Amino acid sequence: MHSRRPMKAFYVLLLGLLIVCNSFAQTVEQVLNDYRKEAGIALEKLNATLEKEGTSIAARLVSQGDTKGAEEVSRQVTDTIEGRGLSSPHKALAILVTQYNAAKQTALKPRRDTAIKKLDVLLKSSAGKDMQNVVQIAKARDEIESGVPLRS
């Protein structure tokens, strides 16, 4: 009975080592795809809330006779969801956009931190000794740090 325990511990250790090695063996593209997928999931509900509240604001503007304002709000909500910054949001939308941006940063932070750590591991590995890989890692890092996950 006792002779099986060391073998079981060995297999658990081996499995753990394989998992760790597999995470180190990720490519830049895999890191980016994982980040994009996780960030997309994290932003799904947030984007839906922004669209719902933005629609409510636009409807209120239309009922007040401000159709141009409603069109501007609609465009700005879409721009915000797609990651295009707003130089000056419509006054009826300003607080909502500020809240959205803060919530977005909070939602993306753990995913961003994990992806950056994975890229740092790649940079310290043999991939970091090849100029093309270093450039790919730099581009991936820029995308991740921008907070705007691109579609894969």
Side-chain angles (χ1 to χ4, degrees), residues 34-50 81 100 102-112 147 149:
D34 288 350
Y35 170 73
R36 289 170 181 159
K37 179 181 175 188
E38 291 177 23
I41 291 168
L43 294 178
E44 224 171 79
K45 186 174 182 181
L46 192 57
N47 290 343
T49 301
L50 176 64
I81 289 172
Y100 170 86
K104 179 179 174 182
Q105 291 307 312
T106 301
L108 290 179
K109 185 176 180 358
R111 288 140 185 98
R112 186 173 39 245

Side-chain angles (χ1 to χ4, degrees), residues 129-145:
K129 294 175 179 48
D130 178 73
M131 183 58 79
Q132 287 181 334
N133 287 336
V134 171
V135 170
Q136 280 185 323
I137 292 169
K139 287 179 181 178
R141 189 178 189 116
D142 282 347
E143 176 184 329
I144 291 165
E145 288 178 342

Side-chain angles (χ1 to χ4, degrees), residues 48-88:
T49 301
L50 176 64
E51 189 162 352
K52 178 183 171 197
E53 295 300 318
T55 300
S56 176
I57 291 169
R60 188 173 66 243
L61 290 171
V62 168
S63 71
Q64 295 170 351
D66 186 2
T67 55
K68 287 191 188 257
E71 289 172 2
E72 183 179 355
V73 164
S74 175
R75 181 183 45 76
Q76 288 183 346
V77 165
T78 301
D79 288 350
T80 301
I81 289 172
E82 292 178 359
R84 293 189 291 270
L86 303 178
S87 57
S88 59

Side-chain angles (χ1 to χ4, degrees), residues 1 12 14 20 26-27 34 58 62 71 75 77 102 128 149 151:
M1 273 289 194
V12 169
L14 184 61
V20 168
Q26 280 192 309
T27 66
D34 288 350
V62 168
E71 289 172 2
R75 181 183 45 76
V77 165
R151 310 259 190 275

